[in-house]
Amino acid sequence: MKAITLCVCGEAGQGLVTIGQLLSKSLVRQGYHIVVTQSYQSRIRGGHNAFYIRVSPERIVAPPDEIDVLITLDAEGITLHRDEMAPSGWILCDVRYAREGKRILSVPYAEFGEGEFLNMAAYAVTGCLLGLENGFMESMIRDTFGKKMDAAAVEKNLAVVGKAVKWVAERAQDIGFESLPKVSVSGRRIMVNGNEAIALGAMAAGVRCGFFYPMTPATSIMLTLIKHAKKMEVVVEQAEDEIAAVNMAIGASFCGARSMVATSGGGFALMTEGISLAAMTETPLVVAVAQRPGPATGLPTRTEQGDLEFILHGGHGEFPRAIFAPGSIEECFELTARAFEVAEASQGPVFVLTDQFLADSYRAVSPFEVRKRMEESTRPENGNGIYKRYALTPDGISERRFPGESEALVVADSDEHTEEGHITEELTLRVRMVQKRMKKLARILEMSVPPTFFGDDEPETLFICWGSSWGAVQEAVEALRHEGHRAAMIHFSQVWPLRSDDFMDKLETAKRVIGVEGNATSQFARLIRRETGFEISDHITRYDGLPLTPRYILGAVARMEQEF
Amino acid sequence: MKAITLCVCGEAGQGLVTIGQLLSKSLVRQGYHIVVTQSYQSRIRGGHNAFYIRVSPERIVAPPDEIDVLITLDAEGITLHRDEMAPSGWILCDVRYAREGKRILSVPYAEFGEGEFLNMAAYAVTGCLLGLENGFMESMIRDTFGKKMDAAAVEKNLAVVGKAVKWVAERAQDIGFESLPKVSVSGRRIMVNGNEAIALGAMAAGVRCGFFYPMTPATSIMLTLIKHAKKMEVVVEQAEDEIAAVNMAIGASFCGARSMVATSGGGFALMTEGISLAAMTETPLVVAVAQRPGPATGLPTRTEQGDLEFILHGGHGEFPRAIFAPGSIEECFELTARAFEVAEASQGPVFVLTDQFLADSYRAVSPFEVRKRMEESTRPENGNGIYKRYALTPDGISERRFPGESEALVVADSDEHTEEGHITEELTLRVRMVQKRMKKLARILEMSVPPTFFGDDEPETLFICWGSSWGAVQEAVEALRHEGHRAAMIHFSQVWPLRSDDFMDKLETAKRVIGVEGNATSQFARLIRRETGFEISDHITRYDGLPLTPRYILGAVARMEQEF
Amino acid sequence: MVTLADYGNYETAWCPGCGNFPILKAVKKALVMSNLSPQEVLFVSGIGQAAKLPHYLNANVFNGLHGRSLPVASGAKLANPRLTVIAESGDGCNYGEGGNHFLAALRRNIDMTLIVHDNRVYGLTKGQASPTSPEGFVTKAQPMGNPSAPFNPIAVAIVMNAGFVARGFAGDTEHLADLIARAIAHRGFSLVDILQPCVSFNRVNTFDWYRERCRKVDDSYDPTDQRAALDLALRDEDALPIGVLYRNARPPFEEKIGLKPGDPPYRHVCDAEAFEAVIGGYE
Amino acid sequence: MVTLADYGNYETAWCPGCGNFPILKAVKKALVMSNLSPQEVLFVSGIGQAAKLPHYLNANVFNGLHGRSLPVASGAKLANPRLTVIAESGDGCNYGEGGNHFLAALRRNIDMTLIVHDNRVYGLTKGQASPTSPEGFVTKAQPMGNPSAPFNPIAVAIVMNAGFVARGFAGDTEHLADLIARAIAHRGFSLVDILQPCVSFNRVNTFDWYRERCRKVDDSYDPTDQRAALDLALRDEDALPIGVLYRNARPPFEEKIGLKPGDPPYRHVCDAEAFEAVIGGYE
Ligand SMILES: Cc1ncc(C[n+]2csc(CCOP(=O)(O)OP(=O)(O)O)c2C)c(N)n1
Ligand SMILES: Cc1ncc(C[n+]2csc(CCOP(=O)(O)OP(=O)(O)O)c2C)c(N)n1
Ligand code: SF4
Ligand code: SF4
Ligand SMILES: [Mg+2]
Ligand SMILES: [Mg+2]
């Protein structure tokens, strides 16, 4: 069976996310694979939002292209999503605004319960059609709401579900909806989105302090930390602005606490001076940036990969940095944990760069495991004399100590400084300090993650992509190969620094290289050329606020072909 | 006669800049050419500062390499500048701390006046040795201090000068100092430094509002505007921070006032969100950035070219911009005026990128002339319907109107917006608006300044440089050619956007291309490769806080030669 | 004669029942009372639910960055002092992200009006504590309750000797419109902090909660008495005085820098003669 | 026993006669009075003349960005509550560039001390008006006089119910040292604003000018009375009360968020069992 996509839509405030998550979790517990995307407007109520669940018995990685089952909670849904409907797609809607037509199921939601139970009724109807059993759905509801609601409210919900299920069951034959094939459940799995995976990665790596100023789509990274703050003994504080957030994190990290901030482009703009400070004072710092379309406020709840160059160069002066760009939920976890390790090893700023699509996209993955703390830095102590925070060493990395921990006084300085950390205007020392800081790039390179390859060994078409587009490109490559094309991809989940040895042979041997990026100016392709001289001349770009999908990519490839 | 360099040095607070400027102005009025560099510490009194004046009867453009006459007001000067002394250099110092030695002139300054007159006495002694006449020096003093001091104070100064001149005149023969050859004065000239030239360029272009938060080395751009604010009817306000400064300038520009901000790297970091706002709202904005060595506070009073990539990418999201990087005082004026024109024509942010060296470097140049206001934009009005601030036009440029000026209501938005300026989440419109903004790059390119060439037509060695290193590289090329080398240079006074047609043939035909940059990572060379694929493999970099000089460049070339 | 119709009527993106609706009504009404046509008015806003307001009426509008409405408004006013400039945004925008500009605006006293929709929460980002949230206020981001003390904008404005300080309540449109009109009329910086219920994220400070507590200052109250004003501003929240709490006659910034209102800087071109004179000084 | 010698003696980059010298002396003295060894203390400063102070004594030091000493200090204290954290910087740093952090620090009430060298001018950048410069103050950047009203940090801190508010004078080292020691001892956020002459750029507020005006509050003064404190803070400048002007017993932030002082976060490693439990919640 090919994957199908459910789309739950309606006004903001109707509880779409609640039923979207419930449905997703239900499918996951039944052993299915999912990829969720969320599309919402920058408002709290009204408007029109959508929660897409692509579901399949087999592993899937790309976001959905079209809708197979539209579950709309408002009248507009039918019109607004018309263009996305698969030819054989179903529409589930309230009988009060149902249109006539094949594959439209008009549900008398009002019969099942009052308005506030609409979303629960929709869950039950959908679940029932997909083949979820009543008892299972009941247990899902108890599980999910048992702690949040009082018992009476839970019972009310269950009653609604019962009625809805009964309604569907009575006419299942007539409806003729094909339910999902059963799959066997094997192994533990968790359902998390990109932001949750980042927060979990941070916790696994021993994060101790988080500072943030709310900003979509990054906020839920910090909300996830906050949710577990007590258990995991993490201090999370909402700062008065992003400038404060980054400086607080630097202060905490200076004192030895693994620290992070999370924001989006506009908030990052306010942090750039702090990034430079982390570099100069050689303070580890993890910065998660979830991109959204700019410039300025742009489209605050949509997705884009438009800030790569800004993250790469944000902060005045010259210093090394690392930028991870996870392609999957698993990588959100893995690379965030690694970001902490690289930040600590290189004593400076490290970035985890995602976007709204990945931030809000759920998948079911193997449970994450706690991270072994890397061996303590084995820097030799600098004798028994005065502690030199910035001791000049062959690899540029100096022993780190924390204030109050030992007899050593720890002195860090934003000005150019002596080895002891005191302000200096000695210009030959300046040169050595610049070199010291730049040398640390070697350490970052040692710990860097090479790009991954997928597809034909001798491709005619090689896609080059980075970050969240991984899943879409991978399924596009699969589709092309299925049609007999020799297609492959290289995906970068670390976009800086680059080691050309890791990928140049692939670029040079491919017949045609196509850059795929969620931005207008092909920033990563420019970076590749800057670093290797290799010019990628074909580009697939997307900047309408939506994620790249297999069909978008295949369509662009087809148009390119015609142009030849 | 080859150029000679005078260096006036001493503690901060001893009035070095006063006599440096007086001496410079005196030399300029006598028809000499000068290049001044200032070296100072980040403190108000004490420490050790220096004011260098390179002087020549012929036109010179490079900063000094060595000192021919050291005029030290403190004892340390002799030791601190020992390494910079030309083999035949002179030292003028107070008899109280004089060392024995040839070409050391011990002056009994105390005999001429009290301590506070030390700098005036040093001026007189130096002037007299160089061949300035007593009467001329007196008129210089009256001219300079007549308005600032009361008459008695001026007379006291003149008395000191008289005594000093007498002292020198009496032993001129014995001293044996070779005075400057007389030159004939031809045409009007003004003496200005880079920051003054920028402010004058802004005034010539009709700047109406300036906003700033003090930051070395940019502050004096704004102080110059303030000095002439009344006469030129400019409103200059010191903001509470750089974020306020950039947003105030955007507000003023939105209302039709040509507006600018001036800052350095750390302050620019705080402005990046505002840059993005100017781009999104399509508001003209001129941003002057005088670079200093980073990261973070770095060396606040020294020079570097380390922020090119940050200025190029500062601000989230994607949008066009222009970056001018003047090579000379003349260009500081010319390109600042042009920056206003480009900002207005392209309705977005435009940068003038200099550094501490150029900011503080005086030269004598032809008087600047007021700028003819470019023809008013000839955009057609969009009918007699509602005014569309962001009307979609073929070239992406929409008619600009100002609030309160006409019946039209002007609506600008930081969110993605409709043609009318109202917030929208219509994603197809988003795509058109991105394209609209990006199209304006063509207009910027039309108005862009090509790089300039100098030297051998078929060079074996071609230097590629940008911004303030122009003079140093030019004199280095002259020196190499003088020795018979086929040397040439390309200098970029606009570093973005680049038009490869303007320079690729030169790069490709030169036997060897050497990048010359005042930073550690050869940022401009990377940009060239990104844009053209051309790899510059030899680099001369400087990042000790001092400006590039001909000798520094020639030394590096010689070392490169040895390596072959 | 300007009428309400001149200011139009638009669909909004606010939640049904939100306190922003009556504020919008009051703002329009105040403009009509002030007999200002849409062309004479410039609204500058930041980002947030409140900051969307200027999109919902006819006027000149600059909808800028979160927290930065005051600097944009200040720059605009200096460029064209003939405009009536109104900065309008939320409590997060003005007292959180933009706190430093709030302090500077109080010090400068530029002749403009700041209207703050003070719902004591970050609305648009889904309900985190704002600077004015009560201590202990529980949100998803502050599950153990807001640990910080609330910012008291009124008290700070009074102690900093702001030109005009008023507090209104979204539940009393007439009174609020009158306050806003008076704020606009005041020569200098005027603050109107509006107690605004947020039906989606603030379950503490509801319409009813405010209705029980709001007390109009009466005619006998002397708003020029700073100590008396402070007493009102520092009251416990069992009574919330609304009205014009403080005002004085500090000369506005424009006057102090000698800006001529008849002659906005944006009209000028570079005066060639003056420029020649300036250049002469460098000879 | 800690002695003055433990804090060392270093060359400075300040102007001869500057008010910073006696402040440095007072700070060292206060540390000795508090019996704190250099290892127990962390100084966090910004950029400016005042901000150089921590380089001139023995202690842990983080010398950060202009305007950002308070956030760095806050983060440091939350990471290691056992440290005595002192933020020290100028008036420009704290009330200009860092104004928003000042407001937030007053609201949070983290147990740390802020020492402001208030010379009413931007020293290091050569004498522009600062937020505390008097109205009309003439500088190169304000040749027609500073058009803005001065910021009154004391009054704002008191009105915002800061934990501990003191004003000292650089000309009275003994008194100042005592204030600083009391500020350090206070549990919660403490502000010590110091009237500091700048001999290079402030020719108005000189040592003599202050000497004529400074008035120590006497023992009968009750610093827990907010209104009385405001009266002192809002006085005309013909008399400048110095001393502890206000204090209260607001619980510090650390207490409200349940931070255990014995157990600084930086010591922890990820607890595998707790993590497993968290992961379980996503199944
Ligand atoms: C620099 C920056 N940081 C954060 C945000 C995200 N953001 C948008 S609105 C908002 C809070 C709005 O709160 P408030 O100003 O009180 O307005 P309300 O929605 O409550 O009316 C935040 C944090 C942003 N747009 N820009
Ligand atoms: C972001 C940023 N903006 C501006 C500066 C320049 N700057 C350095 S110190 C200073 C003012 C210092 O004034 P204050 O804090 O009062 O300290 P003082 O020198 O008077 O002791 C300024 C504006 C900077 N370093 N960083
Ligand atoms: S979230 Fe609150 S403030 Fe925003 S529109 Fe809804 S009710 Fe109003
Ligand atoms: S400039 Fe002023 S504050 Fe700075 S050291 Fe000199 S006298 Fe002191
Ligand atoms: Mg709010
Ligand atoms: Mg100061």
Side-chain angles (χ1 to χ4, degrees), chain D residues 189-209:
Chain D
F189 183 74
S190 313
L191 167 67
V192 185
D193 184 85
I194 306 173
L195 304 168
Q196 177 223 334
C198 163
V199 297
S200 290
F201 297 114
N202 187 335
R203 305 291 159 91
V204 177
N205 311 109
T206 61
F207 273 107
D208 282 345
W209 190 92

PDB file of all heavy atoms in Angstrom, chain D residues 189-209:
ATOM      1  N   PHE D 189      18.278  41.266  44.689  1.00  0.00           N
ATOM      2  CA  PHE D 189      18.989  42.184  43.814  1.00  0.00           C
ATOM      3  C   PHE D 189      19.263  43.498  44.525  1.00  0.00           C
ATOM      4  O   PHE D 189      18.364  44.101  45.096  1.00  0.00           O
ATOM      5  CB  PHE D 189      18.162  42.442  42.558  1.00  0.00           C
ATOM      6  CG  PHE D 189      18.850  43.320  41.554  1.00  0.00           C
ATOM      7  CD1 PHE D 189      19.891  42.833  40.778  1.00  0.00           C
ATOM      8  CD2 PHE D 189      18.463  44.650  41.386  1.00  0.00           C
ATOM      9  CE1 PHE D 189      20.529  43.635  39.843  1.00  0.00           C
ATOM     10  CE2 PHE D 189      19.107  45.462  40.459  1.00  0.00           C
ATOM     11  CZ  PHE D 189      20.136  44.951  39.691  1.00  0.00           C
ATOM     12  N   SER D 190      20.517  43.942  44.494  1.00  0.00           N
ATOM     13  CA  SER D 190      20.889  45.188  45.157  1.00  0.00           C
ATOM     14  C   SER D 190      21.488  46.147  44.143  1.00  0.00           C
ATOM     15  O   SER D 190      22.337  45.760  43.350  1.00  0.00           O
ATOM     16  CB  SER D 190      21.959  44.935  46.222  1.00  0.00           C
ATOM     17  OG  SER D 190      21.609  43.837  47.020  1.00  0.00           O
ATOM     18  N   LEU D 191      21.037  47.371  44.206  1.00  0.00           N
ATOM     19  CA  LEU D 191      21.595  48.414  43.350  1.00  0.00           C
ATOM     20  C   LEU D 191      22.392  49.400  44.190  1.00  0.00           C
ATOM     21  O   LEU D 191      21.884  49.912  45.193  1.00  0.00           O
ATOM     22  CB  LEU D 191      20.452  49.175  42.648  1.00  0.00           C
ATOM     23  CG  LEU D 191      20.841  50.494  41.966  1.00  0.00           C
ATOM     24  CD1 LEU D 191      21.759  50.255  40.766  1.00  0.00           C
ATOM     25  CD2 LEU D 191      19.592  51.262  41.532  1.00  0.00           C
ATOM     26  N   VAL D 192      23.639  49.639  43.788  1.00  0.00           N
ATOM     27  CA  VAL D 192      24.408  50.727  44.394  1.00  0.00           C
ATOM     28  C   VAL D 192      24.777  51.693  43.272  1.00  0.00           C
ATOM     29  O   VAL D 192      25.637  51.403  42.439  1.00  0.00           O
ATOM     30  CB  VAL D 192      25.685  50.220  45.087  1.00  0.00           C
ATOM     31  CG1 VAL D 192      26.388  51.384  45.798  1.00  0.00           C
ATOM     32  CG2 VAL D 192      25.369  49.109  46.079  1.00  0.00           C
ATOM     33  N   ASP D 193      24.066  52.794  43.207  1.00  0.00           N
ATOM     34  CA  ASP D 193      24.358  53.815  42.205  1.00  0.00           C
ATOM     35  C   ASP D 193      25.340  54.800  42.830  1.00  0.00           C
ATOM     36  O   ASP D 193      25.065  55.359  43.892  1.00  0.00           O
ATOM     37  CB  ASP D 193      23.068  54.521  41.785  1.00  0.00           C
ATOM     38  CG  ASP D 193      23.301  55.527  40.685  1.00  0.00           C
ATOM     39  OD1 ASP D 193      23.302  55.123  39.504  1.00  0.00           O
ATOM     40  OD2 ASP D 193      23.520  56.715  40.996  1.00  0.00           O
ATOM     41  N   ILE D 194      26.486  54.984  42.177  1.00  0.00           N
ATOM     42  CA  ILE D 194      27.538  55.805  42.786  1.00  0.00           C
ATOM     43  C   ILE D 194      27.724  57.118  42.030  1.00  0.00           C
ATOM     44  O   ILE D 194      28.010  57.112  40.827  1.00  0.00           O
ATOM     45  CB  ILE D 194      28.882  55.048  42.814  1.00  0.00           C
ATOM     46  CG1 ILE D 194      28.697  53.686  43.510  1.00  0.00           C
ATOM     47  CG2 ILE D 194      29.955  55.886  43.504  1.00  0.00           C
ATOM     48  CD1 ILE D 194      29.934  52.810  43.438  1.00  0.00           C
ATOM     49  N   LEU D 195      27.578  58.206  42.728  1.00  0.00           N
ATOM     50  CA  LEU D 195      27.832  59.518  42.146  1.00  0.00           C
ATOM     51  C   LEU D 195      29.336  59.631  41.938  1.00  0.00           C
ATOM     52  O   LEU D 195      30.113  59.653  42.892  1.00  0.00           O
ATOM     53  CB  LEU D 195      27.327  60.609  43.093  1.00  0.00           C
ATOM     54  CG  LEU D 195      25.830  60.466  43.452  1.00  0.00           C
ATOM     55  CD1 LEU D 195      25.465  61.389  44.613  1.00  0.00           C
ATOM     56  CD2 LEU D 195      24.947  60.738  42.240  1.00  0.00           C
ATOM     57  N   GLN D 196      29.738  59.660  40.665  1.00  0.00           N
ATOM     58  CA  GLN D 196      31.158  59.574  40.351  1.00  0.00           C
ATOM     59  C   GLN D 196      31.594  60.735  39.465  1.00  0.00           C
ATOM     60  O   GLN D 196      31.144  60.847  38.329  1.00  0.00           O
ATOM     61  CB  GLN D 196      31.454  58.254  39.618  1.00  0.00           C
ATOM     62  CG  GLN D 196      32.897  58.110  39.182  1.00  0.00           C
ATOM     63  CD  GLN D 196      33.047  57.553  37.775  1.00  0.00           C
ATOM     64  OE1 GLN D 196      32.178  56.853  37.283  1.00  0.00           O
ATOM     65  NE2 GLN D 196      34.155  57.861  37.120  1.00  0.00           N
ATOM     66  N   PRO D 197      32.467  61.581  39.934  1.00  0.00           N
ATOM     67  CA  PRO D 197      32.982  62.640  39.063  1.00  0.00           C
ATOM     68  C   PRO D 197      33.854  62.066  37.949  1.00  0.00           C
ATOM     69  O   PRO D 197      34.592  61.105  38.156  1.00  0.00           O
ATOM     70  CB  PRO D 197      33.825  63.502  40.007  1.00  0.00           C
ATOM     71  CG  PRO D 197      33.340  63.154  41.387  1.00  0.00           C
ATOM     72  CD  PRO D 197      32.957  61.716  41.307  1.00  0.00           C
ATOM     73  N   CYS D 198      33.700  62.640  36.756  1.00  0.00           N
ATOM     74  CA  CYS D 198      34.572  62.318  35.625  1.00  0.00           C
ATOM     75  C   CYS D 198      35.338  63.589  35.325  1.00  0.00           C
ATOM     76  O   CYS D 198      34.743  64.572  34.862  1.00  0.00           O
ATOM     77  CB  CYS D 198      33.746  61.901  34.412  1.00  0.00           C
ATOM     78  SG  CYS D 198      34.647  61.937  32.845  1.00  0.00           S
ATOM     79  N   VAL D 199      36.629  63.592  35.625  1.00  0.00           N
ATOM     80  CA  VAL D 199      37.387  64.846  35.516  1.00  0.00           C
ATOM     81  C   VAL D 199      37.647  65.250  34.075  1.00  0.00           C
ATOM     82  O   VAL D 199      37.973  66.392  33.789  1.00  0.00           O
ATOM     83  CB  VAL D 199      38.719  64.782  36.313  1.00  0.00           C
ATOM     84  CG1 VAL D 199      38.443  64.592  37.801  1.00  0.00           C
ATOM     85  CG2 VAL D 199      39.629  63.662  35.785  1.00  0.00           C
ATOM     86  N   SER D 200      37.484  64.303  33.160  1.00  0.00           N
ATOM     87  CA  SER D 200      37.770  64.642  31.764  1.00  0.00           C
ATOM     88  C   SER D 200      36.574  65.186  31.000  1.00  0.00           C
ATOM     89  O   SER D 200      36.730  66.030  30.132  1.00  0.00           O
ATOM     90  CB  SER D 200      38.318  63.417  31.025  1.00  0.00           C
ATOM     91  OG  SER D 200      39.612  63.100  31.487  1.00  0.00           O
ATOM     92  N   PHE D 201      35.391  64.701  31.293  1.00  0.00           N
ATOM     93  CA  PHE D 201      34.261  65.074  30.444  1.00  0.00           C
ATOM     94  C   PHE D 201      33.052  65.657  31.158  1.00  0.00           C
ATOM     95  O   PHE D 201      32.119  66.103  30.526  1.00  0.00           O
ATOM     96  CB  PHE D 201      33.811  63.862  29.606  1.00  0.00           C
ATOM     97  CG  PHE D 201      34.859  63.391  28.658  1.00  0.00           C
ATOM     98  CD1 PHE D 201      35.447  62.147  28.810  1.00  0.00           C
ATOM     99  CD2 PHE D 201      35.289  64.199  27.609  1.00  0.00           C
ATOM    100  CE1 PHE D 201      36.419  61.699  27.931  1.00  0.00           C
ATOM    101  CE2 PHE D 201      36.266  63.764  26.722  1.00  0.00           C
ATOM    102  CZ  PHE D 201      36.839  62.510  26.893  1.00  0.00           C
ATOM    103  N   ASN D 202      33.062  65.597  32.466  1.00  0.00           N
ATOM    104  CA  ASN D 202      31.920  66.188  33.156  1.00  0.00           C
ATOM    105  C   ASN D 202      32.412  67.321  34.049  1.00  0.00           C
ATOM    106  O   ASN D 202      32.872  67.114  35.166  1.00  0.00           O
ATOM    107  CB  ASN D 202      31.173  65.129  33.979  1.00  0.00           C
ATOM    108  CG  ASN D 202      29.884  65.675  34.559  1.00  0.00           C
ATOM    109  OD1 ASN D 202      29.750  66.886  34.764  1.00  0.00           O
ATOM    110  ND2 ASN D 202      28.940  64.780  34.821  1.00  0.00           N
ATOM    111  N   ARG D 203      32.294  68.544  33.537  1.00  0.00           N
ATOM    112  CA  ARG D 203      32.769  69.716  34.272  1.00  0.00           C
ATOM    113  C   ARG D 203      31.672  70.283  35.152  1.00  0.00           C
ATOM    114  O   ARG D 203      31.868  71.287  35.815  1.00  0.00           O
ATOM    115  CB  ARG D 203      33.271  70.797  33.298  1.00  0.00           C
ATOM    116  CG  ARG D 203      34.342  70.315  32.336  1.00  0.00           C
ATOM    117  CD  ARG D 203      35.639  70.026  33.071  1.00  0.00           C
ATOM    118  NE  ARG D 203      36.507  69.125  32.327  1.00  0.00           N
ATOM    119  CZ  ARG D 203      37.440  69.510  31.458  1.00  0.00           C
ATOM    120  NH1 ARG D 203      37.647  70.768  31.234  1.00  0.00           N
ATOM    121  NH2 ARG D 203      38.179  68.600  30.832  1.00  0.00           N
ATOM    122  N   VAL D 204      30.504  69.667  35.123  1.00  0.00           N
ATOM    123  CA  VAL D 204      29.385  70.167  35.926  1.00  0.00           C
ATOM    124  C   VAL D 204      29.355  69.458  37.268  1.00  0.00           C
ATOM    125  O   VAL D 204      29.417  70.078  38.325  1.00  0.00           O
ATOM    126  CB  VAL D 204      28.049  69.947  35.172  1.00  0.00           C
ATOM    127  CG1 VAL D 204      26.870  70.404  36.027  1.00  0.00           C
ATOM    128  CG2 VAL D 204      28.070  70.666  33.825  1.00  0.00           C
ATOM    129  N   ASN D 205      29.303  68.130  37.227  1.00  0.00           N
ATOM    130  CA  ASN D 205      29.126  67.357  38.454  1.00  0.00           C
ATOM    131  C   ASN D 205      30.484  66.914  38.995  1.00  0.00           C
ATOM    132  O   ASN D 205      30.862  65.753  38.890  1.00  0.00           O
ATOM    133  CB  ASN D 205      28.214  66.158  38.185  1.00  0.00           C
ATOM    134  CG  ASN D 205      26.944  66.565  37.456  1.00  0.00           C
ATOM    135  OD1 ASN D 205      26.762  66.261  36.275  1.00  0.00           O
ATOM    136  ND2 ASN D 205      26.086  67.300  38.134  1.00  0.00           N
ATOM    137  N   THR D 206      31.178  67.876  39.569  1.00  0.00           N
ATOM    138  CA  THR D 206      32.538  67.639  40.048  1.00  0.00           C
ATOM    139  C   THR D 206      32.530  67.138  41.490  1.00  0.00           C
ATOM    140  O   THR D 206      31.490  67.096  42.144  1.00  0.00           O
ATOM    141  CB  THR D 206      33.323  68.967  40.009  1.00  0.00           C
ATOM    142  OG1 THR D 206      32.630  69.863  40.886  1.00  0.00           O
ATOM    143  CG2 THR D 206      33.362  69.548  38.605  1.00  0.00           C
ATOM    144  N   PHE D 207      33.715  66.786  41.998  1.00  0.00           N
ATOM    145  CA  PHE D 207      33.824  66.389  43.405  1.00  0.00           C
ATOM    146  C   PHE D 207      33.220  67.467  44.302  1.00  0.00           C
ATOM    147  O   PHE D 207      32.424  67.179  45.209  1.00  0.00           O
ATOM    148  CB  PHE D 207      35.288  66.147  43.788  1.00  0.00           C
ATOM    149  CG  PHE D 207      35.755  64.743  43.501  1.00  0.00           C
ATOM    150  CD1 PHE D 207      36.624  64.475  42.446  1.00  0.00           C
ATOM    151  CD2 PHE D 207      35.345  63.670  44.296  1.00  0.00           C
ATOM    152  CE1 PHE D 207      37.057  63.179  42.182  1.00  0.00           C
ATOM    153  CE2 PHE D 207      35.774  62.376  44.043  1.00  0.00           C
ATOM    154  CZ  PHE D 207      36.641  62.121  42.984  1.00  0.00           C
ATOM    155  N   ASP D 208      33.583  68.710  44.028  1.00  0.00           N
ATOM    156  CA  ASP D 208      33.079  69.790  44.884  1.00  0.00           C
ATOM    157  C   ASP D 208      31.569  69.921  44.780  1.00  0.00           C
ATOM    158  O   ASP D 208      30.878  70.101  45.781  1.00  0.00           O
ATOM    159  CB  ASP D 208      33.725  71.121  44.474  1.00  0.00           C
ATOM    160  CG  ASP D 208      35.136  71.220  45.024  1.00  0.00           C
ATOM    161  OD1 ASP D 208      35.479  70.414  45.923  1.00  0.00           O
ATOM    162  OD2 ASP D 208      35.891  72.083  44.547  1.00  0.00           O
ATOM    163  N   TRP D 209      31.088  69.827  43.581  1.00  0.00           N
ATOM    164  CA  TRP D 209      29.646  69.945  43.350  1.00  0.00           C
ATOM    165  C   TRP D 209      28.910  68.910  44.192  1.00  0.00           C
ATOM    166  O   TRP D 209      27.933  69.215  44.858  1.00  0.00           O
ATOM    167  CB  TRP D 209      29.372  69.738  41.854  1.00  0.00           C
ATOM    168  CG  TRP D 209      27.974  70.047  41.399  1.00  0.00           C
ATOM    169  CD1 TRP D 209      27.523  71.251  40.921  1.00  0.00           C
ATOM    170  CD2 TRP D 209      26.848  69.158  41.369  1.00  0.00           C
ATOM    171  NE1 TRP D 209      26.195  71.151  40.586  1.00  0.00           N
ATOM    172  CE2 TRP D 209      25.749  69.887  40.847  1.00  0.00           C
ATOM    173  CE3 TRP D 209      26.659  67.817  41.712  1.00  0.00           C
ATOM    174  CZ2 TRP D 209      24.484  69.317  40.669  1.00  0.00           C
ATOM    175  CZ3 TRP D 209      25.403  67.253  41.539  1.00  0.00           C
ATOM    176  CH2 TRP D 209      24.328  67.988  41.025  1.00  0.00           C
TER     177      TRP D 209
END
